[in-house]
Amino acid sequence: MPLGRRGRPGLIGMAARTAVVAGTATAVSGRVQQHQQQKYAEQSQQRADEAAAQQAAIDQAAAQAVADAQAARTPPAPPPAGGDDVIARLTQLAQLHAQGALTDDEFAAAKAKLLS
């Protein structure tokens, strides 16, 4: 009779086979878990990037709204000194010209003198 047994494996053989199967399952499980964690980290980073981009757009829109509001509240610049007086004098000259008190040449000369 031969020294080795044939047929069903012995206790040591079954223990070794169980250890191999358990080790393989553990390795596969670890890989799956690592892959899932990496995928989750990438998704989290993508969401964070999208949130930062949205926040930047909101900040820019708010800054533009503030600038627009300030521009709307700012009064227009006053006309140069004496500007109203020049306009009033031109209006007077135009009325005098329309009434016939000034000739075309007199009106043109007076207007040129005011505008220079």
Side-chain angles (χ1 to χ4, degrees):
M1 233 174 149
L3 291 175
R5 290 182 69 187
R6 293 207 172 227
R8 295 181 10 197
L11 185 60
I12 294 176
M14 289 247 306
R17 185 176 292 166
T18 302
V20 168
V21 169
T24 303
T26 303
V28 170
S29 174
R31 286 269 191 175
V32 168
Q33 186 178 13
Q34 182 182 15
H35 177 72
Q36 287 174 342
Q37 286 176 348
Q38 182 179 6
K39 186 176 177 181
Y40 177 75
E42 289 171 357
Q43 288 174 346
S44 295
Q45 183 62 42
Q46 184 179 7
R47 284 190 210 113
D49 291 344
E50 289 171 358
Q54 285 178 342
Q55 187 62 44
I58 290 170
D59 291 344
Q60 184 179 9
Q64 183 64 39
V66 168
D68 290 347
Q70 287 177 343
R73 283 190 301 213
T74 305
D84 288 337
D85 187 44
V86 171
I87 293 172
R89 293 282 296 149
L90 283 173
T91 304
Q92 275 182 333
L93 287 174
Q95 288 174 349
L96 291 172
H97 181 254
Q99 293 171 356
L102 293 175
T103 65
D104 289 340
D105 292 337
E106 291 172 333
F107 175 71
K111 184 170 94 172
K113 184 177 178 185
L114 276 175
L115 294 177
S116 61

